[in-house]
Structures are given as structure tokens and as C-alpha cells.
Amino acid sequence: MSAAQASTTGRAPAGGVRWLTLRRRRALLPAIFVAPGLAWLVVFYAIPIVSQLWVSLQTGNPDDGFAQTYNWSVYPDSLSEYHTHLVRSLGYAGLATILCFVIAFPLAYFIAFKAGRWKSIFLLLIILPFFTSMIVRTVAWQTLLADEGFVVSTLRSLGLLNVLGESGRVLATPQAVIAGITYNFLPFMALPLYASLERMDRGLVEAATDLYASRWTAFRKITLPLAAPGIFAGTLLTFIPAIGDYINAQLLGTPQQYMIGNVIQSQYLNVRDYPVAAALSFIVMVIVLVIIVIAARALGTRRLSEAVAA
Amino acid sequence: MQAHTTVVAGAVETADGAGPDIGLYDVTKRFGEQVAVDELTLEIPKGSFFALLGPSGCGKTTTLRMIGGFEEPTSGRIELAGRDVTDVPPHKRDVNTVFQSYALFPHMTVEKNVAFGLERKKVRRDELRRRVGEALELVELGALAKRRPTQMSGGQQQRVALARALVNRPQALLLDEPLGALDLRLRKQLQIQLSHIQREVGITFVHVTHDQEEAMTMADRIAVMRDGRIDQLGSAEELYDQPRTEFVANFLGSSNLIDAALVARQGDVAEFDAGGARVRVPSRLVDGRDGALCVGVRPEKISLRPADAGAQVPDGENSLLGHVTDASFVGVSTHYIVRTDGGHDIQVFAQNAGAGLETLGPGRRVAATWQPEYTFVVAKEAGA
């Protein structure tokens, strides 16, 4: 009581240091917990985004410098110039995400329900590629897919070279880029799927079959909906980084397969047209955001929060 | 082998002319080296509330899971309503299960959970809605139809599981320790509700439990299982009053068992020598029995009277002389332990009915008496 009086009247209590009541200190606690993360986001996320928007509206050239002119036309201009790269990025990332799902779901299902005591070994095998840098792994794929490399020579000796079309190449094709993205992002799909399947009570499938559901119906009505948070999380974790990826297109493709990430990279580092690079980055960000919102709406916000929790 | 014949005979008696609802014939289930169910033959009559009772690991749940189709028997045959379903998958069997963990679908409302089976059977929408409503009313959960199972208490979830199974009006309902996860008070309440519902819907209930009191309260026939076999099958009264094995005598309630040898048999009465004392039993209890036997009597069937004052043993009653070693007053009754002259400790529960009953303190010489028809004869266990 005396402490409360002291703080409301502004008089320092005898202790001196205890200038806040217990209640006030408790009220401050959440703020103290959130502060470091918030500071991090402001410094490394909010400020860069604002500065990116700022830079995108400037005009000038690298030699004479850039000046702020609020040149909003940079957005329609870069969109019309690079829309093929954007569409290609969406297509490649979308296809790679679907492929990741098709490969990862049976894999995750197997590990969660059938692997038994080998579970940890299989999970380790999924994570293992991360022990090497993504660039090194992609360069390894370059070697594998090269014209005289393992894949092509195997196809040749099997007499299946014609499946590659008239070019007779694997490397430098859209398929190579998509395969590379699929390979690189597979763990991002497999791990959330595994997590959501692993949590599932297998008794539920048994209960469904007890209630006249065939194995397929039980899968459709029980397993799949309960894996939805994992599917959603895996899709976002795969699709979002895939859309901005430029390493796979650069190492496994040609300029014919370049994605929006390659364009942004070259605008920043080679052409040094910072406003166009910034504008394109912004456009990609907005597109991703819109896709997430649509997906979340379709799945319901409850699922979204569950997906985040997973 | 002897247990098998008893089982079949016992079930056929009550089948009211109709064939059994569920039949298991020489069913064996092995998990690797381990034999979970051992050449089990069992017929469950239509409309009965049937309990499979036994300690954990006795094969009762495996038996239930084989009826449901979740486990395939290693050998033997399973019939539902006379049809061989041994190789029929669970979704094509007309039985439903209430699982021990309830296994409610967490992503569906209570209503959707209950409707699941009917939807699979392609029941018309209006009929489906009506039956789901009725099923929820039956378990008194009509008001919570829109809730999700995760927002409900254990007892409510249990009732949803029951409604989800019953709504399909299956040939038989299989209940796997359905009350195991609930606290005592709720369990008692749901026991009564379950028996009530069974009488109302009239379908065969097969109830797996390790709780002898639960089995006796609810079931009209009980199969006591041990080591994958049925030890004895009968009504609660039969099992309690005339257990035929030491295991059944001790698993259902408490028993005083005394090693005994048959010495004489005259008409309706067979006489045993039990550690020096003569114990008479109805002779039908020894028909066809051989090997080592014990005679037994329930603690509450015994009367104690002081033996020092030359008290009279009522004519024709069995009597064991001894002295009280322990007497504890527990309210409704007094529990005595009496050391007989033959060296056995027997338990006696004396009901505290009427006034002026003397508590017989330790050291008192007493006669423990009971009527011959309360005596039962069990096979002595090999290891005991």
C-alpha cells in the first residue's frame, strides 16, 4: 500500500530502487520479452523495406548518383519489361512445390508411421544435405546433369536419349532448374509434413475404418485434413523461397530459364540500376503476400495459426 | 479343453433358439512368439450385454479387436450373425467400436463425428440428421452438437464416442475399456447409463474390462479370461457363487480357499476333508471333477459364534473351529481373520445388522459356520 502511494504521489520510497509497484512491473514484463525481437525486426526488416521503397522511386545512374524523384512509373515499367521472368518464377516455383509435395508426402508418411526405430536415421538423412552449402550442392547437380555427366550417359546407354528432345541435353533446360529447386527445398516440405503426421493418433484411422470408411476414404477424410497444417506450412516454406531463388536458374539453366531473382541480382550487382531492382523486389514481395492471404483465406485462419504452431 | 465345452454349452442355453450374434471358433492369435489368444471358442448370444473380464495381457482386447476386424486371427474362424467374417476388413463389418481413447476426430464437430458412419453408408440427409439428433439425445449431449471434441470433458467425449457408434445401429457394439480413463464417480454414473442404453437399444454389447465390479454391475454374461483362454463363463451370480477355478474365485471378490480331498459322497452331499475338518458341499459340484481340489467359501457367507460357551453348530452346517487373530470394524461390517485349528487363515465379513452384536476380539475361540450350498469347489492351481 505504501509503495503504491509512493509511486502515485511521485515520492521515492525508502528502498529507492523499487520505484515500480509489483503490478506495474508485471504489466511491463510482456514488453520486456517482446522488445529484443521487435528491435531486430525494426532494424533489419522495417527500415530496409521503407528504404527499399524509397530507393525504388529514385532516378539517376550509378556514376552520377541517384536522386529522389518519386518516379512511380518504375513499377509499371519494370513489370512490363520483366513480366516473363515473373511468370516463369511463379511457374517454376509452383511446379517445384507440387513436386516437393508429391515426393515428400509419401516419404513423411513412411517415416511417421512405418519407419519404427529407424525414424531418427531417416530424419537425419533428410536434413543431411543442409550440412553442405546450397551452392555446392547445386554445383554438384551441374556436374551430374552435364552433357557428358552421369545422367545423360546413363540415358544414352539405356537408349533413352530421345526423351530429352532435340537438344539432347538435361542441363540448361527448364526441367533441370525445376528439378534443382525441388531437390533444394524438399526438406522444407518434408519436415512440416512429418511433424503434422507424426502428431496424429493412428487410432483415428482405425476408428474411421470401424465407421465403414475404406482405407482410401479414411485417408481422404482423416489423414489428409489432419495433415493440412503441415501441408500449408510446407507449401509456404517451399514456395516462398523458391519464387525468389536465382541459384538454380543460374547454375542449372541459361538466360532462357532465368527467374525474377536472377533479374534482381543482375540489376543490383551488374547493371546497378537500384530503383528497378528495388521495385522488382517489392513486386515479388507483394505477390507472395497476396498468395499467402488467399491460401490462408481458403484454409481458414485457424488452420493458419495451427500451421504456424506446427 | 474342459473350459471350452463349458463355454459353448453356457452360451447356447441362453440363445433363445436363435443362433449366436458373434461366434469365435478355435481362434488363435500370435504376436511373434507370444500367444495372445489361445484356441478360443466363444458364442455371444444376440442382445446380451457380454463382458470379457480379465487382467491386462489376458487377451481380452485382442479378442475384441479380432471381432472388430483390426487384428487378423492366426488361425480359427469368426462369425457375425452366422456369416464368416474372418477375412472381412473392418469397414465391411456391421459392428462398431467404442475405443478406449475414444478416437474422436478432432477436426470435426461432435455432430460431424456422430454422422461419420451414416455418411459412409450414404444415408439420406434428412434421415441422417434425425438419427444423429436422436443419438445425441440418447447420450444427453444434444446441446453440445456444434462443439469440437477437444472442448469437452472426458465423460462427454466418452458419450460422443458411444453415440458415434450406436447411431449406426450395428449388429453388435464393441466397447474396449470405455470407462477406463474416467474417475470413479463418473465411471459409476456411466456404468448405469450404459446398461440403461443397452436395454433401450437392445443390441449386443461386448464390453472389455479389467474391473470385476464393472463387469458384474453391467453384464448379464461374463467370460473371465486368463492367458488367452476363458477360465469360466456365466452370469455374475454364477461366477461369484460358484467359481470353478482358483483364479476366478480370487479375481472376482475375495475367497477363502482350503486344500481339500474328497472323502465321501452320499446322494446330494459330497464330503471333503479340509485340513482335519469335514466340509460338506452339494455333490453336483464335484461331478466330473478330478485332480487336486480346494473347497471355498466367500467371507460374507460365514457366521462366527463363540465356541467357548459350548455353542451349538446349527445342524448340517459346515464348521471350522479356530481363534480370532484380527478384528477390524469398518462400519457396515466387521472384518475378522480367523486362524483355524487346521492352520488356515480365513476371512470373515460379519455384517453389522441389528443391535447388541458382540465384537469378538483377538484370541477368542470361535466356530466359523456356513451352509453347505455356499461352498464351492475349485481346481487347485498347478503353481500354487
Side-chain angles (χ1 to χ4, degrees), chain A residues 139-161:
Chain A
V139 169
W141 267 68
Q142 206 174 26
T143 316
L144 280 175
L145 302 181
D147 292 348
E148 298 307 320
F150 173 75
V151 173
V152 174
S153 61
T154 305
L155 286 174
R156 184 176 295 138
S157 60
L158 289 172
L160 291 171
L161 212 54

Side-chain angles (χ1 to χ4, degrees), chain A:
Chain A
M1 196 60 217
S2 65
Q5 265 172 352
S7 66
T8 48
T9 55
R11 271 188 287 121
V17 192
R18 298 181 58 223
W19 48 277
L20 280 175
T21 63
L22 188 61
R23 179 177 303 200
R24 289 202 180 178
R25 273 184 283 155
R26 282 216 176 120
L28 268 178
L29 211 56
I32 292 168
F33 279 10
V34 166
L38 200 66
W40 179 276
L41 285 178
V42 168
V43 172
F44 295 107
Y45 193 75
I47 294 175
I49 282 178
V50 173
S51 99
Q52 193 187 345
L53 182 65
W54 183 255
V55 168
S56 73
L57 300 175
Q58 292 176 342
T59 42
N61 61 65
D63 299 326
D64 305 327
F66 292 91
Q68 186 56 268
T69 55
Y70 297 102
N71 173 32
W72 290 95
S73 65
V74 71
Y75 283 91
D77 289 352
S78 30
L79 207 51
S80 73
E81 192 168 351
Y82 297 110
H83 70 273
T84 47
H85 294 90
L86 256 176
V87 171
R88 191 181 292 140
S89 293
L90 286 168
Y92 285 9
L95 274 170
T97 305
I98 292 168
L99 278 172
C100 275
F101 177 76
V102 169
I103 297 168
F105 197 93
L107 183 68
Y109 189 93
F110 170 80
I111 297 172
F113 300 131
K114 310 280 178 197
R117 58 200 178 90
W118 300 100
K119 239 181 212 184
S120 325
I121 303 282
F122 281 111
L123 285 176
L124 184 72
L125 285 176
I126 288 187
I127 306 168
L128 205 61
F130 282 134
F131 290 14
T132 326
S133 109
M134 179 176 167
I135 294 179
V136 172
R137 279 181 282 136
T138 313
V139 169
W141 267 68
Q142 206 174 26
T143 316
L144 280 175
L145 302 181
D147 292 348
E148 298 307 320
F150 173 75
V151 173
V152 174
S153 61
T154 305
L155 286 174
R156 184 176 295 138
S157 60
L158 289 172
L160 291 171
L161 212 54
N162 52 346
V163 300
L164 300 176
E166 36 193 88
S167 74
R169 301 189 72 185
V170 176
L171 198 66
T173 60
Q175 289 88 330
V177 178
I178 294 166
I181 297 173
T182 305
Y183 161 75
N184 275 310
F185 294 108
L186 188 69
F188 294 107
M189 180 66 93
L191 291 177
L193 283 178
Y194 166 78
S196 67
L197 287 172
E198 210 271 336
R199 284 190 307 180
M200 210 183 109
D201 173 9
R202 292 307 289 160
L204 297 177
V205 169
E206 211 163 70
T209 60
D210 183 64
L211 295 162
Y212 320 114
S214 62
R215 286 187 69 89
W216 167 242
T217 309
F219 176 79
R220 217 161 36 85
K221 291 277 176 182
I222 309 298
T223 310
L224 215 50
L226 287 175
I231 297 171
F232 189 60
T235 303
L236 291 187
L237 287 176
T238 311
F239 184 75
I240 296 172
I243 214 174
D245 180 77
Y246 62 92
I247 290 169
N248 287 287
Q250 182 153 356
L251 295 180
L252 305 177
T254 65
Q256 299 304 307
Q257 284 83 39
Y258 272 9
M259 296 166 70
I260 197 68
N262 303 87
V263 175
I264 295 169
Q265 185 225 18
S266 94
Q267 289 294 324
Y268 259 121
L269 302 179
N270 305 339
V271 185
R272 292 202 282 159
D273 189 345
Y274 300 132
V276 169
L280 284 172
S281 302
F282 224 83
I283 290 167
V284 171
M285 204 171 74
V286 170
I287 289 172
V288 168
L289 216 61
V290 168
I291 290 171
I292 292 176
V293 169
I294 291 171
R297 277 280 166 81
L299 280 160
T301 45
R302 194 181 59 81
R303 291 250 173 87
L304 180 63
S305 61
E306 273 172 20
V308 172

